Amino acid sequence: MERVRASVMLCGGTGCIASGSLKLKNALDNELKNRGLEKEINVVFTGCNGFCAQGPVMTIYPDDIFYEKVTIKDIPIIVEEHFIKGRPVERLMYKEPLKKQTIPLMRDIPFFSLQVLRALRNKGLIDPEKIDEYIARDGYQAAAKALTEMSPEQIIDEVKRSGLRGRGGAGFLTGLKWELCAKVKGDQKFILCNGDEGDPGAFMDRSIMEADPHVVLEGMIIGAKAIGANKGYIYVRAEYPLAVQRLQLAIEQAKEYGLLGKDILGTGFDLDIEIYLGAGAFVCGEETALMRSIEGKRGMPRPRPPFPAQKGLWDKPSVLNNVETFANIPQIILNGADWYRSLGTEKSTGTKVFALSGAINNIGLIEVPMGIPLRKIIFDIGGGIPKGRKFKAVQLGGPSGGCIPEHLLDTPVTYEDIVQTGAIVGSGGMVVMNDLNCMVSVAKFFLEFTTDESCGKCPPCRIGTTVMLDLLTNITEGKGKEGDIELLEDLSNDIISTSLCGLGQTAPNPVLTTIKYFRDEYESHIKDKWCKTGVCKELCTFYIDEEKCKACGACKRVCPQAAVIGEKKVPHKIIQEKCIQCRSCYEACKFDSIKIGPRSMREKLMETTDQEALKEKQIMALAGAEDQ
């Protein structure tokens, strides 16, 4: 057998597969075979690499070369230049936005080099469909240690001392939750994993399930031993078919290896795990609603107490943790609580996985130590804001989180510090917004989501969020009135204090934080009937500042309605009757000559553009006559 001299780790996560990475693998396999290199070059179809914006991506070891946005046409070139001639293809390597520099190796790219991987330690490094590759990286050693060397009390003590808090959103101490359930006597207990992940812009749990499904099973095995459970369920939304496929395969492989089922590793401990498909209800991210869903009932929260640790699934003692929480457990058991606490802060230990999305250069999945400033995440790891736009806010914690403004970017990412801003860490969604975003519209967008996803069981959530949404809709349509801001604040506080579950208790957060930090935008919408970002179409007028206009024609070319008129070297104008306020001209202009005024400006501008519009029609008619 020939010696493998290079390994190609080709991203096989959902994002890259959608961009064609499966076809790339087939093309690469064929090209290597045609060149007689199939035994020298090992191609591994991994899970999510994390750098989603650059996909499809591949990393070549031991060279540490990272290729981005690879196409079918690039495959023969990579094989010829890199593998045969030993010359990396520089045009496919990463170039840091807005910076001139030498082309970096993977370890030099800030997106990768500034991360610390624990829950994601296997991402992009193993084939998630082969249990042997997981075992080769110390997989199932922690489970073996927990089952053969540790008592349930010792497991719980180790997890408690680590300070691990639930990564699903609430941040409750994992070890304490396990301890509460372990103390409850019962002939049947359940260990449950929440892989529902309903937040817009969130893909942390999906990526772990796709890239490293065995780590979820191993964490559940350890948790089951700690609380005395012999049955487990992984609740996964049906919209994650690849995650479901790889989890199911992992379960079958673990059973075949004697790591699930009866008498695991000859210890006398039994555990069966099943996958339960959720129908995509956001409220089923709440633990009691999730349990009711598994029971075959409508996913609706129930009052607590009793807590699930006492009466959970089928009224039996149950523990529910999310995917990321379980992914941390094996490393804690294997390396110890002190090792885990070496990162993070006293009350927020370890690392946290975030999904970076929105107006940011490096969209993707990251893992960073707790306590890192938001600014470092967004501008160093995330690469800043595209096209030179200004940062405006970051939505942290999903639709139940809050918007954090620029002056708070040095806030450390801990459960305590983020709450002080009015947001929450949540499950890890991080949506970045630039100066083109209207914060009133942003609040309306997130409230539309939570209103639609409310189960309707309790009136404060069902009715209160609907009333709030009506108020926000009126404000964005120019129907807002004095007192609406104060009414929104009052309603928010009432809903928070009286709702049954976490959905209602956190739904007003986007509204409260946008009012707190961007109150001037609300006042402008209500008093001046003016959306200064041009997002709310009923409250804006686009016009051209003739003194700044360079007559470059960029605005004219992108206008879908042919509403921009003007000759070369002559300042252009916008025909207001045709303008649909789409902002295309505003975003295309590089000279700041497109301005946004209040809606009241339209009538005045319509009078001044009538003559120009008439002249334009005459010119077009004359040109048509000459063509004939």
Side-chain angles (χ1 to χ4, degrees), residues 417-475:
D417 291 296
I418 295 300
V419 165
Q420 293 301 311
T421 69
I424 57 174
V425 172
S427 60
M430 196 176 285
V431 183
V432 179
M433 289 165 272
N434 63 19
D435 54 352
L436 295 176
N437 288 103
C438 165
M439 302 313 294
V440 183
S441 181
V442 166
K444 175 173 170 277
F445 168 79
F446 284 111
L447 197 63
E448 281 176 335
F449 180 85
T450 47
T451 300
D452 187 55
E453 293 292 339
S454 171
C455 74
K457 183 173 183 178
C458 67
C461 180
R462 181 183 72 246
I463 300 172
T465 55
T466 301
V467 174
M468 288 181 67
L469 181 58
D470 288 342
L471 286 169
L472 286 172
T473 300
N474 286 338
I475 292 173

Side-chain angles (χ1 to χ4, degrees), residues 139-185:
Y140 289 109
Q141 284 196 23
K145 179 181 177 180
L147 295 182
T148 62
E149 301 176 20
M150 302 176 72
S151 66
E153 293 77 16
Q154 288 174 319
I155 295 172
I156 290 171
D157 181 65
E158 199 71 38
V159 175
K160 283 178 66 178
R161 289 195 305 108
S162 74
L164 174 65
R165 299 174 66 163
R167 297 303 196 237
F172 190 80
L173 287 168
T174 303
L176 180 57
K177 179 185 284 191
W178 289 12
E179 184 179 51
L180 293 172
C181 187
K183 290 180 178 179
V184 178
K185 296 185 182 299

Side-chain angles (χ1 to χ4, degrees), residues 259-376:
L259 297 166
L260 280 179
K262 298 290 185 181
D263 192 24
I264 298 174
L265 297 177
T267 62
F269 178 71
D270 305 334
L271 178 64
D272 285 316
I273 294 178
E274 291 183 25
I275 296 173
Y276 188 93
L277 298 183
F282 179 66
V283 74
C284 285
E286 197 275 341
E287 59 181 357
T288 60
L290 181 150
M291 293 175 194
R292 293 295 168 261
S293 179
I294 293 177
E295 292 170 359
K297 302 173 184 175
R298 183 178 178 186
M300 299 177 74
R302 62 165 174 77
R304 293 173 293 179
F307 293 95
Q310 297 145 344
K311 295 183 72 172
L313 184 63
W314 286 297
D315 291 334
K316 301 294 184 180
S318 307
V319 159
L320 173 72
N321 291 117
N322 90 317
V323 169
E324 185 186 342
T325 307
F326 280 123
N328 279 288
I329 295 297
Q331 292 299 297
I332 291 172
I333 297 301
L334 204 56
N335 298 306
D338 293 337
W339 170 85
Y340 187 79
R341 295 187 69 93
S342 65
L343 288 178
T345 65
E346 182 181 354
K347 293 184 179 180
S348 295
T349 60
T351 59
K352 179 73 188 80
V353 179
F354 290 99
L356 281 177
S357 62
I360 193 164
N361 279 306
N362 297 339
I363 292 173
L365 192 75
I366 66 169
E367 184 173 6
V368 293
M370 295 293 284
I372 188 175
L374 277 168
R375 188 183 302 277
K376 192 173 185 67

Side-chain angles (χ1 to χ4, degrees), residues 4-238:
V4 173
R5 59 184 175 90
S7 291
V8 180
M9 317 307 285
L10 178 60
C11 178
T14 292
C16 283
I17 287 177
S19 299
S21 65
L22 188 56
K23 293 180 180 179
L24 288 180
K25 183 182 186 304
N26 295 333
L28 183 56
D29 287 339
N30 290 333
E31 187 70 22
L32 291 172
K33 185 177 181 180
N34 292 338
R35 297 298 191 102
L37 298 173
E38 70 272 20
K39 294 182 180 179
E40 296 181 45
I41 310 299
N42 182 37
V43 180
V44 180
F45 203 45
T46 73
C48 177
N49 166 281
F51 212 168
C52 306
Q54 310 306 113
V57 302
M58 65 170 63
T59 309
I60 300 176
Y61 295 103
D63 302 339
D64 202 32
I65 299 295
F66 176 76
Y67 289 142
E68 62 181 17
K69 299 180 180 178
V70 182
T71 67
I72 294 288
K73 294 179 180 180
D74 297 322
I75 295 300
I77 298 171
I78 292 173
V79 173
E80 173 72 23
E81 294 294 317
H82 192 130
F83 298 130
I84 295 178
K85 297 181 179 178
R87 300 185 301 208
V89 185
E90 290 193 359
R91 70 174 178 82
L92 295 176
M93 295 172 70
Y94 176 77
K95 291 93 179 170
E96 191 169 355
L98 307 178
K99 291 185 179 180
K100 294 181 179 180
Q101 60 174 29
T102 57
I103 297 175
L105 298 176
M106 183 177 177
R107 61 176 171 268
D108 301 321
I109 300 172
F111 180 84
F112 295 112
S113 64
L114 296 177
Q115 295 187 49
V116 179
L117 304 184
R118 289 191 171 174
L120 301 180
R121 72 185 191 92
N122 287 329
K123 76 175 178 72
L125 294 176
I126 64 172
D127 184 338
E129 298 187 4
K130 294 181 179 178
I131 188 172
D132 290 336
E133 295 198 12
Y134 178 71
I135 291 174
R137 288 182 55 80
D138 298 332
Y140 289 109
Q141 284 196 23
K145 179 181 177 180
L147 295 182
T148 62
E149 301 176 20
M150 302 176 72
S151 66
E153 293 77 16
Q154 288 174 319
I155 295 172
I156 290 171
D157 181 65
E158 199 71 38
V159 175
K160 283 178 66 178
R161 289 195 305 108
S162 74
L164 174 65
R165 299 174 66 163
R167 297 303 196 237
F172 190 80
L173 287 168
T174 303
L176 180 57
K177 179 185 284 191
W178 289 12
E179 184 179 51
L180 293 172
C181 187
K183 290 180 178 179
V184 178
K185 296 185 182 299
D187 58 342
Q188 174 74 68
K189 294 183 180 181
F190 294 100
I191 187 81
L192 309 172
C193 177
N194 182 357
D196 190 53
E197 194 170 49
D199 291 3
F203 47 94
M204 301 78 60
D205 292 345
R206 185 196 76 195
S207 296
I208 293 174
M209 291 185 287
E210 291 177 357
D212 201 7
H214 285 283
V215 78
V216 181
L217 301 184
E218 186 173 14
M220 292 181 71
I221 292 169
I222 296 168
K225 170 67 182 293
I227 67 171
N230 55 31
K231 181 67 178 179
Y233 288 94
I234 306 176
Y235 189 96
V236 188
R237 58 198 302 109

